[in-house]
Amino acid sequence: MSLDDSIVTHDPDAFIVVYSVTEPSSVQYADQILQTLWKMSAVANKAVILVGSKSDLVRSRMITAEAGRKLANTYDCKFIEVSGGLDHRVDELLVGVLSQIRLKRSCRLSRSRSLGRRSCRLHRGARHTSSVKGLLHVMCGAEPRSKSCENLQIL
């Protein structure tokens, strides 16, 4: 089954695109998948996380973490490196997947309930109202953006 058919058939809430940091061809394949998701506009509506696997294999590493971040930034998705063998950051990934799904869903609900002028960006900033800076972001309509693609807790 092709990627397009799988997406239409199963309508997933998230896409986790995994590549091996020891295998350059897996990054090329991940790039192709992300490109397909981008063309289908799935990145805007669904949670997408690029995962660099086997981060514990330092001597065999051929793909840097910076290259992974750059690829994730290119497609406006989140990024994390994990090691299944050492159970390093796997829990963070799983919690992050759920957080991204919830954030994307609330964003879609906010947009569907809005009157056209208000966007999801305004609603995303609403959770920061406990601080003066967050309140100013909400009042001005500015979106507090993630400083990097690695923070899985915010859009």
Side-chain angles (χ1 to χ4, degrees):
M1 183 180 282
S2 73
L3 180 61
D4 298 349
D5 293 338
S6 293
I7 292 170
V8 171
T9 303
H10 300 292
D11 191 28
D13 290 316
F15 300 97
I16 292 83
V17 180
V18 182
Y19 70 91
S20 170
V21 300
T22 63
E23 184 60 48
S25 64
S26 68
V27 176
Q28 293 170 350
Y29 189 61
D31 188 11
Q32 292 172 359
I33 292 171
L34 290 170
Q35 190 173 31
T36 301
L37 294 173
W38 184 264
K39 287 178 183 176
M40 296 178 67
S41 298
V43 176
N45 300 320
K46 308 284 185 171
V48 180
I49 301 173
L50 178 63
V51 179
S53 183
K54 302 181 182 179
S55 65
D56 59 311
L57 301 179
V58 179
R59 291 184 180 173
S60 303
R61 179 184 280 269
M62 299 181 79
I63 310 302
T64 65
E66 187 57 39
R69 277 187 216 96
K70 185 177 178 182
L71 183 61
N73 282 326
T74 299
Y75 292 103
D76 196 26
C77 63
K78 296 298 182 176
F79 171 74
I80 188 170
E81 280 194 350
V82 300
S83 169
L86 296 178
D87 198 22
H88 178 70
R89 298 184 78 189
V90 174
D91 290 341
E92 185 180 338
L93 170 62
L94 295 175
V95 170
V97 169
L98 290 175
S99 296
Q100 287 296 302
I101 290 170
R102 288 179 179 150
L103 288 167
K104 289 286 186 167
R105 278 188 180 172
S106 68
C107 182
R108 284 193 309 259
L109 288 173
S110 296
R111 270 193 243 142
S112 67
R113 292 180 186 158
S114 71
L115 298 175
R117 279 185 41 215
R118 296 167 66 190
S119 70
C120 179
R121 292 189 165 121
L122 179 63
H123 292 285
R124 280 193 283 195
R127 64 186 149 85
H128 296 288
T129 56
S130 61
S131 69
V132 174
K133 185 177 179 182
L135 183 59
L136 289 173
H137 281 296
V138 171
M139 292 173 59
C140 297
E143 175 189 4
R145 296 212 37 119
S146 170
K147 299 237 185 303
S148 76
C149 59
E150 294 182 272
N151 188 345
L152 300 178
Q153 303 306 312
I154 60 177
L155 286 176

